[in-house]
Amino acid sequence: MIELPSDIWYGDKPLLFEPPESWEVSVFRMAGDSAREVEKEEIFRVLREPIGQKALSKLAEERGEAVVVFDDMTRPTKLKGIAKAVIEELKRGGVSDENITFICANGAHGTYDRDDFAKKLGEEIVESYPVFNHNPLGNLDYLGETSAGTPVEINSEVMSYSLKIGLGCILPHPQFGYSGGAKIVLPGIAGMRSIAYNHGVIGGWSAAMAVRELHPTCQMAYGRVNEENVMRRDAEEAARMAKFDFIVNSLVNTRRENTHVFAGDIVEAQRKGVEEARKHYATQIGFEFDVVISNAYSKASEAAIATWPSLCLKQGGTLVVVCNSKTGQISHYIHGRWGMRRKGGFLYLPPPDTLKRAGKVIFVSKYQEKQPWLEVYDEVVRVKTLEEMVEEVGKEEKKVAVFPDATIQKPF
């Protein structure tokens, strides 16, 4: 029996899958999948003994106020325990409840509601503190340009606080190499001009990839690069311009448990976290499979990330993407599609070329939607259950690979 995590933020009930006996199945798990959830004491330790920064309570004592910027629902991070510990340390430093505000770093992802904030931060925080979405189209302070020319426009509410704290996770990322650190600032709480320049002009990510290459440090960036990535360096410069003080980043397993926590300077703490992340998310892979079953869980609303295991297929094999995302695919104002005839996003991204290795794509989801996000094919076979998928693939002898959460596993 194979267990695939499923229904992120909506019960997290796993799918149980019994493959046909005739299939030769290999399950590829990431190295850190069995890592245990971090203890509460360890969270407090990293807040009190941070990397490259004063203790959070000491910063709180000096500033007397704080804004807490947290990652959005496209990221798997359960922040309730971490956010409560941060509040406790702020209060330990003398900051009152009235001087603490939370801002969601939704970047170009659209907005979220109270239910989302409660799932991410816990009911107690939503009841006790103001929680706002970031608006990338307004309410921005212009801080100047980075050395690469990015116009730095940052959420003005965040800029009004003397102590700025970020909460999020470090995961393999297709553009930055790894997330975490300064990415909470750019794109997290940046304006559209800033995001478009960083992602498009500097990184090169857009439909124009068909006629020109990405920046070399962005090519196959997923889990391969970090500090040498030009988009990250640009974001870190923007974070310094915004005087962003403190970051708390975690690593997660495929149960979305925080297994490691790194805190402190927004650059140095992320660097330390990536040292562990390189090992934690690493996944040994094989090649020339007839069928690859790739589960999208941690980033289910960005299921295209789960298509990278197609590189493990033999030419013309079958890629199965499993994605139970009740909210569907994310509305991305920069990279997303906004219609059938007018694609819309300023830096619209077509499907990855790696998909062309597959001769057939099967999309498994109990939440199907008429959305052409795998446009490399005229038609994607859509089924609602794994049992239907088996009938579509066939029960004859096959060499099959399974990736339990391809949205956070990395093949390097």
Side-chain angles (χ1 to χ4, degrees):
M1 187 71 70
I2 298 171
E3 185 174 296
L4 300 178
S6 182
D7 285 298
I8 187 170
W9 302 115
Y10 287 89
D12 296 274
K13 185 178 180 181
L15 296 174
L16 300 178
F17 174 48
E18 187 70 65
E21 291 184 4
S22 55
W23 288 8
E24 179 188 338
V25 179
S26 300
V27 180
F28 294 100
R29 302 185 186 280
M30 67 186 206
D33 197 34
S34 60
R36 295 183 179 181
E37 186 170 17
V38 68
E39 298 287 341
K40 181 179 178 181
E41 291 74 19
E42 175 63 10
I43 298 173
F44 279 107
R45 186 193 69 78
V46 299
L47 297 179
R48 294 170 183 175
E49 302 173 15
I51 299 164
Q53 183 55 285
K54 298 176 183 178
L56 184 56
S57 60
K58 180 63 176 176
L59 290 173
E61 184 180 329
E62 293 173 353
R63 312 290 177 82
E65 60 178 12
V67 60
V68 182
V69 180
F70 62 97
D71 64 4
D72 69 19
M73 305 302 283
T74 67
R75 302 300 181 257
T77 340
K78 298 177 183 178
L79 289 176
K80 179 180 176 180
I82 292 173
K84 289 178 72 173
V86 165
I87 289 172
E88 191 167 325
E89 289 303 289
L90 291 175
K91 289 185 174 181
R92 188 164 168 253
V95 178
S96 65
D97 285 343
E98 292 72 24
N99 285 319
I100 300 173
T101 294
F102 284 78
I103 302 286
C104 181
N106 39 281
H109 290 168
T111 58
Y112 296 91
D113 58 25
R114 185 195 184 282
D115 186 49
D116 295 321
F117 297 151
K119 288 174 181 175
K120 176 68 75 165
L121 300 169
E123 281 285 346
E124 184 180 340
I125 287 177
V126 174
E127 290 176 3
S128 305
Y129 302 92
V131 185
F132 297 98
N133 283 289
H134 164 62
N135 177 7
L137 300 172
N139 197 44
L140 302 165
D141 283 2
Y142 175 68
L143 307 182
E145 293 184 355
T146 65
S147 56
T150 298
V152 180
E153 296 177 328
I154 302 298
N155 184 290
S156 60
E157 178 76 9
V158 174
M159 290 305 301
S160 73
Y161 282 79
S162 58
L163 177 54
K164 306 171 185 70
I165 303 163
L167 311 181
C169 61
I170 296 173
L171 298 173
H173 192 276
Q175 297 177 334
F176 279 70
Y178 287 90
S179 60
K183 201 169 178 295
I184 201 84
V185 178
L186 176 57
I189 51 170
M192 284 294 191
R193 283 205 312 151
S194 304
I195 300 169
Y197 199 98
N198 175 269
H199 287 34
V201 177
I202 294 177
W205 292 92
S206 74
M209 288 159 50
V211 295
R212 58 109 169 95
E213 291 188 348
L214 293 169
H215 189 278
T217 65
C218 297
Q219 293 174 358
M220 290 296 288
Y222 191 76
R224 292 172 68 101
V225 298
N226 188 52
E227 60 268 22
E228 64 270 42
N229 179 267
V230 291
M231 295 171 67
R232 168 158 296 284
R233 289 208 304 265
D234 190 57
E236 289 173 347
E237 189 174 343
R240 295 297 194 207
M241 292 168 68
K243 295 181 170 55
F244 210 91
D245 302 282
F246 202 90
I247 193 74
V248 187
N249 280 153
S250 66
L251 309 186
V252 299
N253 57 26
T254 56
R255 296 174 298 282
R256 294 199 298 124
E257 295 169 336
N258 296 305
T259 60
H260 305 74
V261 182
F262 303 87
D265 178 76
I266 196 165
V267 174
E268 293 182 42
Q270 193 268 351
R271 296 279 194 276
K272 192 67 176 177
V274 167
E275 290 179 15
E276 185 64 34
R278 292 186 191 278
K279 299 175 287 184
H280 182 78
Y281 298 113
T283 305
Q284 294 295 318
I285 62 174
F287 298 95
E288 295 297 310
F289 286 92
D290 301 302
V291 180
V292 168
I293 300 173
S294 181
N295 188 41
Y297 169 64
S298 290
K299 294 186 179 181
S301 63
E302 295 181 291
I305 296 173
T307 61
W308 71 258
S310 60
L311 63 88
C312 300
L313 282 172
K314 67 179 185 182
Q315 189 67 42
T318 298
L319 175 67
V320 178
V321 178
V322 183
C323 179
N324 282 327
S325 174
K326 191 170 184 178
T327 59
Q329 297 306 293
I330 191 66
S331 295
H332 202 298
Y333 287 96
I334 293 284
H335 290 320
R337 184 164 181 165
W338 293 91
M340 294 298 294
R341 299 178 181 179
R342 300 292 183 266
K343 292 179 180 178
F346 178 63
L347 301 178
Y348 170 72
L349 284 179
D353 286 341
T354 51
L355 274 176
K356 295 177 182 176
R357 189 169 187 80
K360 183 178 186 179
V361 173
I362 302 174
F363 186 64
V364 184
S365 178
K366 57 187 176 184
Y367 311 110
Q368 292 287 349
E369 52 184 327
K370 188 67 174 177
Q371 187 68 259
W373 65 275
L374 287 177
E375 298 156 72
V376 72
Y377 293 94
D378 294 330
E379 200 171 309
V380 175
V381 177
R382 300 173 185 274
V383 298
K384 293 194 172 184
T385 67
L386 290 168
E387 290 73 23
E388 291 177 87
M389 178 272 292
V390 171
E391 292 300 319
E392 184 66 36
V393 170
K395 296 182 180 179
E396 62 270 21
E397 185 175 322
K398 286 181 174 62
K399 186 181 177 185
V400 179
V402 178
F403 292 85
D405 187 1
T407 63
I408 63 172
Q409 295 178 256
K410 74 179 186 75
F412 309 109

